[in-house]
Amino acid sequence: MGGDYYEILEINRNATDADIKKAYRRLALKFHPASNREPGSNDKFRQLGEAYDVLSDLRKKATYDKFGDSGLKGGIPLELAIGGAWSSKYAYHDNPEKTFKDFLGVPTLFQKLQISRKVMNDNGCTSSIRDKILTVIVKPGWKEGTRITFPKAGDQSPNNIAADMVFIMRQKPHPRFERQDNDLIYHKRISLEMALTGFSVDVETLDGRFIKIPINEIVHPSYKKVVSGEGMPLPHNPSQKGDLIFTFDILFPEKLSAESKHLIKQALVIKIIIIKYFFIIKCYWMFQTNA
């Protein structure tokens, strides 16, 4: 690829990591093939992907800054690879869409809509019906009610100036999660035994990962488990996410035998004794420390 990576991203060589991310986001959205059909947009999108792939990586960037394009792609001797420089020969994977999706954290949805509208004929006096395809780019983290506006995409006629066409986002229910602002709520039904003795929750995230969350505390009716950074991407900063919040419905048994009641009472008494014991030890340790 020809050209300077900094020039491609329209930034200077003193740009911070935040500057690099901001520039790539702005330009990648502008030249993405799904929204830009102009000649050269595909090549520009690929150049942006390679430039970001290099400048967002500290080792590749260090090599490029010191040895230039030839040193980056031709490789440098190991003895010169100090300060975290990249010594191997660099080659871009040539998949700018992957770079774009990895940057966003979750895939961006591109929805094509075909509409029919009145447009002015070349004579400027009459209009006719023509089809037009609009591409709606749904960005990660967008909320219900978000408005996407296509300026002057409405009907035209000799006596009517084309109005804007506005699409309003509607959110579909998800089978596993409930959304609250930027957080995701996961509801789990558990037994009374699990609530008292502990358990773990296996859950598939929105981006297809499986995570295991241990619950070691006693789960009471208002208990919530918060896992930071596993919620929805923030609309203005998709690299950051809200929280994943677990809530629990405790299934109480309808009946208990006399033996079961006795065993539960014994277990609770033993637990209270253990808690008191550790409390006494903690107080004694604090007293000795402050003495």
Side-chain angles (χ1 to χ4, degrees), residues 240-290:
Q240 297 185 10
K241 298 181 180 180
D243 298 332
L244 174 59
I245 302 174
F246 291 87
T247 63
F248 301 96
D249 294 327
I250 304 172
L251 302 177
F252 286 84
E254 294 182 1
K255 295 180 180 179
L256 282 176
S257 65
E259 182 182 0
S260 296
K261 292 179 181 179
H262 178 69
L263 290 174
I264 291 174
K265 287 179 180 180
Q266 279 189 324
L268 291 176
V269 168
I270 292 172
K271 188 157 191 175
I272 292 172
I273 293 173
I274 292 173
I275 292 173
K276 287 183 177 179
Y277 175 75
F278 279 104
F279 177 75
I280 292 171
I281 291 177
K282 184 177 180 180
C283 290
Y284 176 77
W285 179 82
M286 292 177 63
F287 175 79
Q288 290 294 329
T289 303
N290 295 328

Side-chain angles (χ1 to χ4, degrees), residues 124-252:
C125 299
T126 59
S127 61
S128 57
I129 302 293
R130 296 182 190 175
D131 292 335
K132 181 179 178 63
I133 295 178
L134 301 177
T135 301
V136 178
I137 302 178
V138 182
K139 300 178 184 177
W142 272 6
K143 301 175 182 178
E144 181 162 343
T146 299
R147 301 166 70 91
I148 306 100
T149 302
F150 291 87
K152 299 182 179 179
D155 290 338
Q156 296 177 333
S157 68
N159 299 317
N160 182 38
I161 300 175
D164 296 342
M165 182 168 289
V166 180
F167 291 87
I168 301 176
M169 295 285 297
R170 289 291 179 263
Q171 188 170 280
K172 292 177 62 177
H174 193 274
R176 295 192 305 278
F177 302 108
E178 175 189 341
R179 182 175 184 178
Q180 290 184 2
D181 198 17
N182 295 317
D183 297 331
L184 291 175
I185 312 298
Y186 185 85
H187 301 282
K188 175 74 174 177
R189 301 183 74 184
I190 61 173
S191 66
L192 179 59
E193 177 186 358
M194 294 168 67
L196 296 175
T197 62
F199 57 99
S200 63
V201 181
D202 296 317
V203 62
E204 182 182 0
T205 62
L206 289 179
D207 53 2
R209 293 176 294 111
F210 286 88
I211 57 176
K212 181 185 289 290
I213 306 299
I215 309 296
N216 299 318
E217 304 88 351
I218 293 179
V219 178
H220 49 79
S222 60
Y223 174 87
K224 293 181 180 180
K225 179 72 173 181
V226 179
V227 181
S228 300
E230 291 291 351
M232 291 295 295
L234 273 59
H236 301 296
N237 188 1
S239 62
Q240 297 185 10
K241 298 181 180 180
D243 298 332
L244 174 59
I245 302 174
F246 291 87
T247 63
F248 301 96
D249 294 327
I250 304 172
L251 302 177
F252 286 84

